Amino acid sequence: DMLHYFTHSLTQTRASERGSAKELLSKLMESQRVDKRSQLARVASIKSLTRSLEHNAIKGALRQKELFSKVQTETTTEWRGQEVQVKTLRGHQSSVDIIRTDVSVLVSGSFNGRIMIWDLRSGTCYRQLVGHTHAISSVEFDEDHLISGSHDKTLKVWGTQTGLELQTLQGHTGTVSCVHMYDSHTVLSGAYDNMINQWDIRQSEKPVAQFLGHSGVVNSIRKHDHTLVSASRDTSVRIWDVRKPSKCIQTLSAHQDWVNGIELDPAKDRIISSSFDGTLRLWSLATGECTHTLSGHDGPINSFSYVHPTVISAGADETVRKWDLSSGTCKVLRGHTAEVTAAAILNEDEVVSISQDHTVRVWNVHFTNKCLVLRGHSDWITSLGVSKGRIVTGSLDSTIKIWDLHAQRPSEQRHAPGGKKAKKKKSKK
């Protein structure tokens, strides 16, 4: 009986265990089915989300393409009934701080770190370069490479034709303030770390030479052969031999405030510098002597343009000044009602200026009281480019405008230079 009891008990225990095991297995299988259904649901959800993202990306790309290719063309009449065709380019989402042009290409850089490449003739954007994480401070380019400097402390090398990022150049510890592309592979940069770096973009992403000596931000750099000149907020201009970067050849000290611009003209043995002290200075490249001081601005000089023998300066005093280095004369162009941010030489008779008063002005330097006023921007105009009769401007209003001066004088095609209708000569029979 005892044996029967234990046998029966064991049988019941095993049956109970089998039942529990089956129940556990059933729950496990159901759990797996639930997990599988959940997994399938998640996969389906991911696929749906992916399709949605792809759809939105395509829609966004189409909208972006439409935005970039949408060029608003207007005609404005401001002076003597002359018509100027203006294209308004929209695509940047923040202020356009940098403009660079050549015959057919326009490059723009903005405060949000975007660079855009446009067809200068049609106004169509065909490349957008995304990579910098802060504002663009400087851009230079040639047919193959585009070099950009940024507040993110880096320089980037891009393919001009492809728009691909080729290299990131790291070596500065502060905002990159200026870039100078000397040739197809040599790049120089100045920064808020008071240093100048030289790069060979064929070899390395690190500087091949460093120039130490400035005690303030390096604002501008120019190079010719083995000579490098730099301008700094430490109020000095320095001359360097690139073969001996550890040693500054000369320090030119005469300015009383930040030196913000520099040009180098070896053929004339000349360095030209501009400063917030309101003066331009001419220096001998050979001796470092200050040969001339061009005084007249009542406040900082924001920028200048030089084509021998002419210097055009843009002042915070709301004036543009044309200096003739051959005759020593100066013409003052008045009309802007706020700081003049930049000026450039169009030809031997005309100069162009931009201002915080939202206007572009084209001046005939022979008639200082008359100018062509171009209106259209709704905020400060911050950047200027000139190419083959076209004026290109960028603004805090996030737009770029191309002002075509070739379309400016249709009347000149119908009238003689004196303003009267040209008489047809009768041919003798």
Side-chain angles (χ1 to χ4, degrees):
D1 292 337
M2 185 66 69
L3 180 60
H4 175 74
Y5 170 77
F6 281 115
T7 301
H8 179 69
S9 177
L10 183 59
T11 301
Q12 286 184 328
T13 302
R14 286 178 177 176
S16 177
E17 288 175 351
R18 281 196 299 269
S20 298
K22 284 181 180 180
E23 184 180 358
L24 181 61
L25 180 60
S26 177
K27 288 181 179 180
L28 181 60
M29 292 176 66
E30 180 63 25
S31 175
Q32 289 176 340
R33 283 194 293 270
V34 171
D35 286 344
K36 189 172 183 179
R37 285 196 298 269
S38 178
Q39 184 178 7
L40 290 172
R42 285 197 298 271
V43 170
S45 176
I46 290 171
K47 287 182 178 179
S48 175
L49 179 61
T50 302
R51 284 194 297 270
S52 176
L53 289 173
E54 289 175 349
H55 179 66
N56 289 338
I58 291 170
K59 286 178 65 179
L62 289 173
R63 284 198 303 270
Q64 195 175 54
K65 183 178 180 181
E66 181 183 359
L67 180 66
F68 291 164
S69 60
K70 186 177 181 181
V71 180
Q72 181 181 352
T73 303
E74 304 170 298
T75 300
T76 178
T77 304
E78 292 287 346
W79 183 52
R80 294 185 181 179
Q82 295 177 351
E83 293 183 346
V84 178
Q85 188 183 77
V86 54
K87 292 184 175 72
T88 300
L89 315 185
R90 304 180 190 278
H92 283 293
Q93 303 302 312
S94 61
S95 65
V96 182
D97 300 327
I98 302 294
I99 291 287
R100 294 290 182 269
T101 60
D102 69 4
V103 176
S104 60
V105 178
L106 160 64
V107 176
S108 57
S110 68
F111 185 76
N112 67 357
R114 298 293 190 270
I115 300 167
M116 299 176 74
I117 306 178
W118 313 75
D119 184 301
L120 185 56
R121 297 184 181 92
S122 68
T124 303
C125 175
Y126 59 90
R127 295 280 185 272
Q128 183 175 194
L129 313 184
V130 180
H132 284 295
T133 57
H134 292 289
I136 305 299
S137 57
S138 52
V139 169
E140 291 205 3
F141 71 98
D142 62 16
E143 186 177 351
D144 299 315
H145 297 105
L146 184 149
I147 312 296
S148 57
S150 170
H151 286 244
D152 65 12
K153 307 176 186 179
T154 71
L155 293 89
K156 287 184 182 290
V157 183
W158 313 81
T160 305
Q161 304 300 325
T162 64
L164 296 177
E165 181 181 330
L166 306 177
Q167 285 179 295
T168 297
L169 308 181
Q170 296 178 319
H172 285 294
T173 58
T175 291
V176 178
S177 49
C178 57
V179 169
H180 178 54
M181 194 174 184
Y182 177 64
D183 56 32
S184 61
H185 56 84
T186 304
V187 176
L188 292 138
S189 60
Y192 276 57
D193 57 13
N194 308 340
M195 289 197 306
I196 302 166
N197 285 341
Q198 180 172 325
W199 316 80
D200 187 335
I201 61 175
R202 301 170 302 178
Q203 298 178 3
S204 173
E205 295 183 352
K206 297 296 181 182
V208 294
Q210 290 188 316
F211 303 83
L212 306 176
H214 280 299
S215 58
V217 175
V218 180
N219 286 324
S220 185
I221 311 166
R222 290 294 181 268
K223 180 179 181 291
H224 178 76
D225 289 339
H226 301 302
T227 302
L228 169 67
V229 295
S230 56
S232 171
R233 291 186 185 179
D234 64 11
T235 75
S236 76
V237 174
R238 288 179 180 252
I239 304 176
W240 315 78
D241 186 332
V242 295
R243 295 166 297 185
K244 302 174 182 178
S246 61
K247 185 179 180 181
C248 172
I249 297 174
Q250 281 185 306
T251 300
L252 314 183
S253 300
H255 283 296
Q256 304 302 309
D257 208 330
W258 292 358
V259 186
N260 61 338
I262 198 87
E263 288 294 344
L264 179 60
D265 187 355
K268 300 295 180 182
D269 181 38
R270 180 179 291 157
I271 300 171
I272 304 175
S273 59
S274 65
S275 171
F276 273 27
D277 65 10
T279 69
L280 296 110
R281 289 183 181 268
L282 278 58
W283 314 80
S284 166
L285 178 59
T287 66
E289 177 189 0
C290 180
T291 58
H292 295 87
T293 300
L294 308 182
S295 301
H297 279 290
D298 184 19
I301 296 175
N302 289 323
S303 68
F304 76 95
S305 177
Y306 168 66
V307 177
H308 180 76
T310 302
V311 176
I312 303 294
S313 55
D317 59 3
E318 305 177 1
T319 70
V320 179
R321 292 176 183 258
K322 175 186 176 290
W323 311 83
D324 188 323
L325 301 185
S326 297
S327 64
T329 59
C330 174
K331 291 185 177 181
V332 184
L333 311 178
R334 302 181 189 276
H336 284 295
T337 57
E339 284 196 27
V340 184
T341 45
I345 299 168
L346 284 175
N347 52 57
E348 62 182 13
D349 297 318
E350 294 176 316
V351 300
V352 58
S353 59
I354 59 173
S355 170
Q356 293 178 5
D357 65 10
H358 309 178
T359 70
V360 181
R361 292 177 184 254
V362 182
W363 311 80
N364 186 314
V365 295
H366 304 296
F367 304 97
T368 57
N369 62 333
K370 296 179 181 179
C371 66
L372 169 63
V373 182
L374 304 176
R375 294 184 173 88
H377 283 295
S378 60
D379 211 329
W380 291 3
I381 306 176
T382 53
S383 47
L384 171 66
V386 173
S387 176
K388 296 290 184 181
R390 294 183 180 91
I391 300 168
V392 185
T393 54
S395 169
L396 290 182
D397 65 14
S398 303
T399 69
I400 299 167
K401 290 185 181 290
I402 302 175
W403 313 84
D404 192 348
L405 300 185
H406 287 307
Q408 177 179 320
R409 302 178 177 89
S411 59
E412 291 183 359
Q413 299 175 6
R414 303 189 300 270
H415 295 77
K420 298 179 180 179
K421 291 184 178 179
K423 296 180 179 179
K424 294 183 179 179
K425 292 183 179 180
K426 294 182 178 180
S427 59
K428 295 181 179 180
K429 294 183 178 179

